[in-house]
Amino acid sequence: MRTGTLFSRSINAEQEEIIFTSGDTESNNLTLNGIIEGNKDKQKKKILVSKIEHFSVLDTAKRLAKKGYAVDFINVNNEGFIDLNHLEDLIDESTLIVSVTHGNHEVGTLQNLKSISEIVHKYGSLFHSYATYSYLQVLIDINDIGVDLLTLFADKVHGSKGVGALYIRKGTPIIKIMEGGYHEYNIRPGVENIPGIAGFGKTCETYNDEETRKIKNLRNYLYSTIKSKIDRVSLNGASDFNKRIPNNLNVSFDYVEGESVVLHLDMRGISVITGSSCFSRSLHASHVLLAMGFSHERAHGSIGFGLSKYITKEDIDYTVYHVNEVIENLRNLSPLTKS
Amino acid sequence: MSLPYSEKLIKYFMHPKNVGEIEDADAVSTEESPASGDMVKSER
């Protein structure tokens, strides 16, 4: 089966509604810039994005703000869900496009895209969603959720790096932002990464619900084991685990700084992420956790775990054993523990 | 992952020195920058 067909079927789209890109960063940049280029209605010049977007959306929106476009940022609550009332306050007939991530890249909260798209479309605006982290892990039916553009990325589903896709609903006014040919329905010039795209298609074909169920059970086991062994742990993201990406767990450990946890675990062969500023190249704490209303301390102590179909229960036990030991050692050093 | 830290830093990171509490310390001082996640408490 053609790879384009595999993709379109996986989200219930038409084959000619999928174009391939170099990844999610390009797809998100193409979305915001290309929609602005293609816009014929000069009244529409406002862009709305959530405060917890990936930098490829957030920074593109900020760059457009510097160019004179009206850009606003939608609030989220303390579990990372979009504040629909705030969206209603910000949106009006001048809104060109709204962009909200489906499954958050950091805390894993899954938005109810349907309720957002209903509001967005009331004002004749376009709706884009960054779905890299939720794609294939939860059912995405673009006709049901009502998005106009959807970003996908191979890397997060065991495909290769350097391969992404963008779903563009038929009739959406978008213009290419690079010159160099007429590839991908004249929206994305440049020779496609055929081997990478074929591999992305294979991941699409082989992903199945059984694996997702297994990952979800292991994620739940990881959380319950951490909670049973370590005190002063707070869950970041949706408390209803059915409203999280199945392979995501993000928690904050009181009194420790994430960079130290990441380094100690790395030396024991365990890879995790942190929202601590010291570990980010920008030297800023996680904008996601801060937007959710949490303190710098909570952001600094946050650790994100990502699971996959290759993770076993033994891996989880190994991880929790070492996390427990590392947290205990760091708390013994921490000036916060006894303050 | 290749670590962007010097060997010396990793040595002290793995084997910290002069860590602990002094009972009835004459002086205690704490300096911190919550935004960047740094905090140092010293006692003597």
Side-chain angles (χ1 to χ4, degrees), chain A residues 74 301 305:
Chain A
I74 312 159
F305 300 86

Side-chain angles (χ1 to χ4, degrees), chain A residues 63-126:
Chain A
R63 181 183 283 241
L64 290 166
K66 282 184 188 163
K67 288 183 175 175
Y69 291 92
V71 176
D72 254 316
F73 302 92
I74 312 159
N75 291 340
V76 295
N77 69 13
N78 64 3
E79 292 196 0
F81 290 108
I82 291 292
D83 178 345
L84 296 177
N85 292 326
H86 192 228
L87 171 61
E88 290 265 22
D89 289 343
L90 295 175
I91 197 167
D92 57 28
E93 268 75 18
S94 75
T95 305
L96 175 60
I97 186 166
V98 176
S99 183
V100 174
T101 293
H102 186 206
N104 184 264
H105 59 285
E106 195 171 317
V107 296
T109 300
L110 276 169
Q111 304 294 337
N112 181 343
L113 294 185
K114 193 173 183 176
S115 60
I116 299 171
S117 77
E118 282 170 3
I119 295 172
V120 172
H121 289 143
K122 261 195 319 195
Y123 294 87
S125 312
L126 295 166

Side-chain angles (χ1 to χ4, degrees), chain A residues 87-254:
Chain A
L87 171 61
E88 290 265 22
D89 289 343
L90 295 175
I91 197 167
D92 57 28
E93 268 75 18
S94 75
T95 305
L96 175 60
I97 186 166
V98 176
S99 183
V100 174
T101 293
H102 186 206
N104 184 264
H105 59 285
E106 195 171 317
V107 296
T109 300
L110 276 169
Q111 304 294 337
N112 181 343
L113 294 185
K114 193 173 183 176
S115 60
I116 299 171
S117 77
E118 282 170 3
I119 295 172
V120 172
H121 289 143
K122 261 195 319 195
Y123 294 87
S125 312
L126 295 166
F127 183 35
H128 165 253
S129 186
Y130 174 55
T132 287
Y133 287 80
S134 56
Y135 179 55
L136 297 181
Q137 293 203 54
V138 294
L139 183 66
I140 297 178
D141 180 331
I142 46 96
N143 293 311
D144 181 46
I145 58 181
V147 292
D148 300 297
L149 302 107
L150 190 83
T151 292
L152 310 171
F153 187 31
D155 179 44
K156 298 296 178 284
V157 285
H158 306 299
S160 6
K161 296 183 191 307
V163 190
L166 182 63
Y167 157 78
I168 306 170
R169 187 179 294 279
K170 222 178 275 177
T172 301
I174 186 167
I175 287 180
K176 61 185 175 185
I177 57 169
M178 298 190 295
E179 296 298 338
Y182 303 92
H183 311 77
E184 297 303 301
Y185 307 101
N186 198 23
I187 293 173
R188 198 272 182 179
V191 177
E192 297 88 345
N193 175 355
I194 301 297
I197 291 169
F200 196 2
K202 197 67 188 172
T203 65
C204 226
E205 212 172 18
T206 54
Y207 240 81
N208 62 65
D209 293 346
E210 188 48 47
E211 280 170 359
T212 307
R213 260 195 299 277
K214 181 194 143 198
I215 291 169
K216 199 184 273 190
N217 288 338
L218 283 175
R219 188 271 316 273
N220 296 349
Y221 175 65
L222 171 63
Y223 181 58
S224 60
T225 318
I226 286 176
K227 285 290 280 182
S228 70
K229 294 196 182 303
I230 306 172
D231 61 356
R232 308 285 301 186
V233 181
S234 312
L235 178 70
N236 296 318
S239 54
D240 178 347
F241 274 33
N242 291 316
K243 294 179 179 171
R244 299 181 70 96
I245 305 169
N247 74 343
N248 171 286
L249 181 68
N250 191 299
V251 293
S252 285
F253 296 99
D254 286 359

